[in-house]
Amino acid sequence: MNQTDTINILLVDDRPENLLALEAIIEQEDYNLVKAYSGEEALKYLLKFDFAVILLDVQMPGLDGFSTAKIIRAREKTKNIPILFVTANNLDSEQIFMGYSVGAIDYILKPVDPLILKSKVARFVEQYILRQKLIAQTKELEEKNNVIKYMAYHDGLTELPNRRMLNEQIIQNINKSKHLNEPLGVLFLDLDRFKYVNDSLGHLMGDKLLQLVAKRLQSNIREQDFVARIGGDEFVILLTNSDRDESLMVAQTILEAFKQPFYLDTYEFYITTCIGLAVFPYDGEDSISLLKNADAALYRAKEQGKNKYKVFHTGMNIESYRTFLLQSDLRKAIERDELSLVYQPKVNIHTGKISSVEALVRWHHPKWGMIPPNEFIPLAEEIGLIVEIDKWVLQNACNQIAQWRNNELGSIRIAVNFSAQHFLQKNLVNEIIEQLAISNIDPNLLEIEITETALLGNEEFIISTLLKLKELKIHVSLDDFGTGYSSLNYLRVFPFSTVKIDKAFIQEITNQGEKSLAIVESIIHLANRLSINVVAEGVETLEQLKILKELQCNEYQGYHFCRPLLPEELFEFLEKYETILTESPTESAPLLNNVIEIQKEPIRLNHDIVKLAIQQVKTSYLLSTREVDVFSLIVDGLTNKEISEKLYISEHTVKNHITNIFSKINVSDRVQAIALVYETCIQKEEAQ
């Protein structure tokens, strides 16, 4: 309480002259003296004002001082106001005791001693001020605690509940669902390609977009539902008393809502989302299982569509389980030294000279062997690991250039591929300069390859970066030209040294009636007119090579000449090639048979192994024939309803079978069951 605030003091006496006397004694600038001529009037004032102290006459007609004090003490609002009885000097001890018993703090005897009265009133006022300060501080502390509690349970950006509140809410909702025997839907949402908004327009714009997304989610769920932001562009929605069909209706409503653009400043955004769905108790009976299964479903939804309007709600199968685990292993691949580089030469189509090689990253998984790049590179982009892999490739390529400095490979340039995410990093040029300095190599021996994806909507920034790289004498190539927007403006505006024609066109130029030949011819002609070097990717036949030579293509690379090789194999290959080139400059046939060959399609599990693994589980855990039928369909990713339709049994029977199976094999959910089969598959493959 501020010291300058007016302090109310109640004076109660039936005689006006007494009130005037009291007023004259204690009157002060910051006091508001309220006078009451009866106990009844005093009680009315007490309903209206907050008083620091009450000076109350004992002997009054009607409601006397003792009765008035008793009522004051009985009221919650007034029970703590100090009462100072003002009375004549003829009270006996019994009356004095009565006064204290009804709440009197002290007595002032008539005739009143002014000094004593002023002193006592002043002490009560001091206590009142102190009490008001404590009340104010307590209130302020409560408000701060409420703010702290709010911050602890809410996301600071969107003001949605955060992961902590989600964890508490999902446990409460599960307990409630168990008690009421109701289902509970869990939707796990992740925005598609949101990182490109951050990369291209900055995190401030990305944050504003997240705020709009949060509002749209809140406006498209039911009043009883709960939505939380758990980090980045991930959201979780709890749908109370919602089975799978009802949850899917909510999910579909959200997907429809996201078809409408988000308007922010001068921008119009179309952001899609994928949704993973899990339902209690069918997809998990505790919070960890439900969230894990919803996350797994989300991952498969993205795997099947990513930036499409699609929700995946069936069970995870063993194939997607492998991919689901792959993302965890990929994070550890660098520190475990599981990545390696292979090099594929680029050849001058007219002279046969090799001036550069392309560094290609490979992942040798300890369990699954060589993982194809078309499987783990998109995964690395999805989980935000691609920049770290790019940095690893740059570092190792520069180290390789340094190692080749003192031998026959010292003049060969190495090209490394940079993802769009990496190329848009603001510190990219400094990062490259630092790596060049560490490796102590000539910048002219390094080449950077980027795809059209990095160019979209970032022209000014990209041009600035490319010019800086050109100043450093670093070659820059536009990779996979023709597969994206293929804007001819790119060739005019951006200072590329080389354009690489995508292999999809090269592999079709020998097919009659295809338009690829005309497209390739146009690209080569235009690039030559612009003095841009042209490289044809994926050349696999002599016929393709002859056509490219006629079209005046500058360079080519592909399996017709050489597959990607390890450094030591490349050295051996180039030694042989130099000999052949010297003896027969026109020779251009494949020279090395024993080379690394990466499968073009992702490695898949051998389904015969899967069947054997299921049979082993049957034998080990004594599953019945019908339980094996159900278990096999679980591994294939079918839902309870789909299993019911497949086996012509009721969903209730399916659920009973699943309960028995999980009990026998000692797991709590589908993912653990699939994991058991998967590990059995691994063991059988290793045994073979």
Side-chain angles (χ1 to χ4, degrees), residues 417-649:
N417 293 278
F418 273 15
S419 66
Q421 295 179 39
H422 194 186
F423 203 77
L424 292 172
Q425 300 290 311
K426 293 183 178 179
N427 62 342
L428 174 69
V429 175
N430 291 334
E431 178 187 307
I432 294 174
I433 292 174
E434 182 181 353
Q435 190 57 56
L436 291 172
I438 293 173
S439 305
N440 190 26
I441 61 173
D442 183 356
N444 192 52
L445 295 178
L446 179 65
E447 180 176 346
I448 305 296
E449 294 187 6
I450 63 171
T451 60
E452 296 173 27
T453 309
L455 309 179
L456 299 178
N458 304 284
E459 286 82 359
E460 187 175 339
F461 177 78
I462 295 296
I463 291 174
S464 173
T465 301
L466 291 177
L467 290 175
K468 291 176 183 177
L469 294 176
K470 296 280 281 188
E471 289 175 5
L472 293 172
K473 307 299 182 185
I474 294 174
H475 290 248
V476 183
S477 300
L478 178 60
D479 195 14
D480 297 336
F481 187 74
T483 58
Y485 289 88
S486 305
S487 172
L488 297 180
N489 192 48
Y490 295 161
L491 304 182
R492 180 182 67 85
V493 174
F494 297 103
F496 291 114
S497 305
T498 298
V499 170
K500 300 184 71 177
I501 305 176
D502 188 73
K503 63 182 180 181
F505 294 101
I506 302 304
Q507 291 171 357
E508 291 183 351
I509 60 175
T510 56
N511 296 338
Q512 294 184 355
E514 292 290 345
K515 299 179 180 178
S516 294
L517 179 59
I519 294 174
V520 171
E521 183 179 10
S522 300
I523 294 174
I524 293 172
H525 179 73
L526 179 60
N528 286 336
R529 291 292 302 272
L530 296 173
S531 300
I532 298 175
N533 185 48
V534 184
V535 178
E537 295 183 290
V539 178
E540 296 181 353
T541 68
L542 182 59
E543 187 179 1
Q544 292 169 355
L545 181 60
K546 288 179 179 179
I547 293 174
L548 290 168
K549 191 171 183 179
E550 292 173 0
L551 297 177
Q552 297 299 307
C553 183
N554 305 119
E555 294 181 309
Y556 77 98
Q557 68 180 122
Y559 278 29
H560 174 72
F561 179 75
C562 181
R563 294 176 174 84
L565 305 173
L566 289 169
E568 57 272 18
E569 292 176 320
L570 180 65
F571 186 77
E572 178 187 349
F573 173 82
L574 291 180
E575 279 188 332
K576 293 180 180 180
Y577 180 66
E578 284 297 325
T579 302
I580 293 176
L581 190 63
T582 302
E583 297 174 354
S584 179
T586 60
E587 181 63 44
S588 182
L591 301 170
L592 195 61
N593 295 321
N594 185 23
V595 296
I596 297 175
E597 182 173 358
I598 303 300
Q599 298 183 35
K600 296 182 181 180
E601 295 298 325
I603 299 171
R604 297 300 180 192
L605 285 170
N606 185 326
H607 286 281
D608 291 333
I609 294 289
V610 175
K611 291 178 181 178
L612 288 174
I614 291 174
Q615 288 302 315
Q616 181 172 321
V617 171
K618 173 188 178 182
T619 303
S620 300
Y621 296 96
L622 303 176
L623 300 184
S624 68
T625 302
R626 178 55 88 183
E627 287 172 345
V628 170
D629 292 339
V630 173
F631 189 53
S632 299
L633 295 177
I634 289 174
V635 173
D636 287 340
L638 275 65
T639 63
N640 288 10
K641 183 177 181 180
E642 290 166 336
I643 294 173
S644 168
E645 294 171 350
K646 190 85 172 178
L647 299 179
Y648 301 102
I649 56 179

Side-chain angles (χ1 to χ4, degrees), residues 183-198:
L184 172 67
V186 178
L187 301 183
F188 208 127
L189 290 81
D190 181 90
L191 302 182
D192 298 321
R193 300 176 65 85
F194 176 76
K195 56 183 175 293
Y196 292 107
V197 176
N198 280 337

